[in-house]
Amino acid sequence: MGAESWSLTAKLCDSCKAVSATVFCGADTAFLCLACDSKIHAANKLASRHARVWVCEVCEQAPASFTCKADAAALCVTCDRDIHSANPLARRHERLPVVPFYDSAAAAAKSHGAAGSASPGGDDDTKYFSNESDNQNAEEAEEEAEAASWLLPTPNNAKGGVDLEGSEYKSADYLFNDMDPYLDMEMMSGGGDQKPHHHHHHQHYNSDGVVPVQKKTETRHVPGPVVDGFPTYEIDFAAGSKPPFMYNFASQSISQSVSSSSMEVGVVPDHNAMADVSNAPFSRTSGGDAVPNPVSGLDREARVLRYREKRKNRKFEKTIRYASRKAYAETRPRIKGRFAKRAETEADSLLAADASYGVVPSY
DNA sequence: GGGTCCCGTCCAACCACACGCCGCC
DNA sequence: CTGGCGGCGTGTGGTTGGACGGGAC
């Protein structure tokens, strides 16, 4: 799964014009495929210092500006707003400004699993959840980090362990202060999110849920004015931290029609709003020459739909941590679906089978 | 419009046990 | 400090009962 599987045309590599672009080089203002990126940016020392970012996974037309941990996706400003302005839960997704990489895109893809976008080689499932990889430790660390990003601090934690003056608690509070509590409940169930430990749909907003929140990181997100229910950020990067590779994040009226929830419940998008969104220009922080307008409203709608489906399949599948346990569970006897005690004879035969396994029988 | 019934959908709970983890020696 | 051992907790999947939503009456 990946860029190739998207039926709509992704932006082509500015260099070879043959393959869809997966990275964007700000210095060159060029969209490049993996191969060309490696070729070009390994050419000399100067080129190797070009900061690159992934191309947005949704529109595949613009440089990613944010990485959504919950969606495990890199999104451009417009798509980020499309998707995360939809509802309170989506708004709570922890998004971090995309950090540019200077290494080869292939290497960056390996080291920045969740930060990647339109996946190099096309298979971001592998990137996010490669289960048989050689790089087991890095993978586990990545998984842990991702899992951690999903944990919602309980109010107790927020009050006790987290500085109330910090942005973490305040931002969550901020994000919820205007929410419609009955909006987008299906995010938790229909969307296949990690299961809440409470009963049924209407109880999903709980303090101990697993819905991620905007968390305090090395960056400080200072909520600005809410634009149509969506906060505008002023991101203040702490001294010492690298400035993010960002594009403008202009306040703009935005419809909530293009959203995870609306898509998932089949609400017909407001095409006027779609056009409004898709026509939103994104300009570069430097240079000022405009990047081509991403995609039409319908294209965007289709892309977002595909993205949603992709995310659903990818992100919310049950994660098997121990394949051996899975294998064992599948072979265990059951009674009405419940694990049953293994009959002694069966256990004996299994033991015998184990004992004899690999032993050359003697006659 | 409100109440009741029925049907379809969703999901937490249940079970046994191998294995990972941790403390102890 | 290291390795072995033992105990405890965790994770695993198919089925089911209960709860809920929505439509019909």
Side-chain angles (χ1 to χ4, degrees):
Chain A
M1 206 195 295
E4 289 85 351
S5 68
W6 289 63
S7 58
L8 297 164
T9 311
K11 191 165 186 58
L12 288 178
C13 171
D14 287 337
S15 177
C16 64
K17 310 278 186 191
V19 194
S20 57
T22 54
V23 300
F24 174 77
C25 172
D28 296 333
T29 60
F31 291 86
L32 300 169
C33 66
L34 273 187
C36 293
D37 172 74
S38 300
K39 191 168 59 187
I40 291 169
H41 290 109
N44 58 61
K45 205 170 182 179
L46 186 64
S48 71
R49 282 154 61 183
H50 287 182
R52 282 103 72 200
V53 293
W54 299 107
V55 173
C56 173
E57 281 192 49
V58 176
C59 66
E60 297 177 320
Q61 298 280 331
S65 292
F66 294 94
T67 298
C68 174
K69 284 193 169 186
D71 294 344
L75 306 171
C76 69
V77 172
T78 308
C79 294
D80 174 69
R81 274 201 286 169
D82 281 2
I83 289 157
H84 292 112
S85 67
N87 54 72
L89 282 172
R91 280 176 225 170
R92 297 179 78 193
H93 286 187
E94 181 186 358
R95 282 114 67 209
L96 301 177
V98 159
V99 178
F101 54 87
Y102 299 84
D103 208 345
S104 74
K110 283 182 184 173
S111 60
H112 281 32
S117 86
S119 61
D123 191 352
D124 48 6
D125 286 358
T126 303
K127 187 171 63 188
Y128 298 131
F129 296 107
S130 59
N131 47 359
E132 300 283 332
S133 143
D134 295 333
N135 197 0
Q136 191 72 26
N137 289 336
E139 195 176 282
E140 286 170 2
E142 188 178 301
E143 284 175 3
E144 281 180 17
E146 183 177 277
S149 79
W150 274 85
L151 296 176
L152 173 67
T154 64
N156 286 342
N157 287 344
K159 287 171 184 170
V162 177
D163 179 12
L164 284 175
E165 295 302 314
S167 61
E168 179 173 357
Y169 186 74
K170 289 175 74 176
S171 65
D173 184 44
Y174 169 83
L175 289 170
F176 270 77
N177 61 5
D178 62 338
M179 63 176 271
D180 177 354
Y182 298 100
L183 209 79
D184 192 42
M185 290 303 189
E186 84 286 357
M187 254 312 260
M188 296 294 288
S189 54
D193 269 356
Q194 296 171 1
K195 290 177 180 178
H197 298 278
H198 300 274
H199 281 107
H200 297 112
H201 322 70
H202 58 292
Q203 297 176 343
H204 286 163
Y205 272 116
N206 286 304
S207 59
D208 59 344
V210 292
V211 180
V213 295
Q214 296 284 351
K215 268 179 27 178
K216 180 159 66 180
T217 62
E218 62 273 14
T219 62
R220 288 191 290 131
H221 298 247
V222 181
V226 173
V227 178
D228 281 12
F230 192 75
T232 58
Y233 290 108
E234 286 179 27
I235 301 175
D236 179 15
F237 295 92
S241 64
K242 284 185 179 178
F245 196 90
M246 286 182 63
Y247 297 84
N248 74 331
F249 198 75
S251 301
Q252 182 184 3
S253 178
I254 183 169
S255 165
Q256 299 195 352
S257 60
V258 185
S259 67
S260 58
S261 61
S262 60
M263 290 298 182
E264 285 159 8
V265 296
V267 173
V268 178
D270 175 355
H271 289 286
N272 292 333
M274 292 286 294
D276 181 43
V277 168
S278 64
N279 289 335
F282 51 90
S283 60
R284 300 198 179 105
T285 50
S286 61
D289 45 341
V291 175
N293 192 357
V295 286
S296 74
L298 283 174
D299 275 5
R300 172 171 294 279
E301 181 185 351
R303 284 177 187 282
V304 171
L305 269 170
R306 291 294 300 274
Y307 166 74
R308 287 290 159 208
E309 189 63 27
K310 179 180 165 188
R311 186 192 66 173
K312 205 157 103 178
N313 293 335
R314 170 185 76 203
K315 183 65 187 175
F316 303 112
E317 276 176 352
K318 186 174 182 180
T319 306
I320 302 300
R321 293 178 62 185
Y322 300 100
S324 59
R325 292 184 177 183
K326 171 183 166 68
Y328 188 81
E330 284 173 345
T331 64
R332 292 167 93 163
R334 297 168 187 273
I335 298 174
K336 288 189 176 182
R338 298 181 178 184
F339 293 127
K341 285 192 178 183
R342 207 184 280 277
E344 281 192 20
T345 53
E346 187 183 0
D348 288 346
S349 64
L350 273 177
L351 279 175
D354 280 349
S356 63
Y357 187 79
V359 175
V360 179
S362 58
Y363 297 98

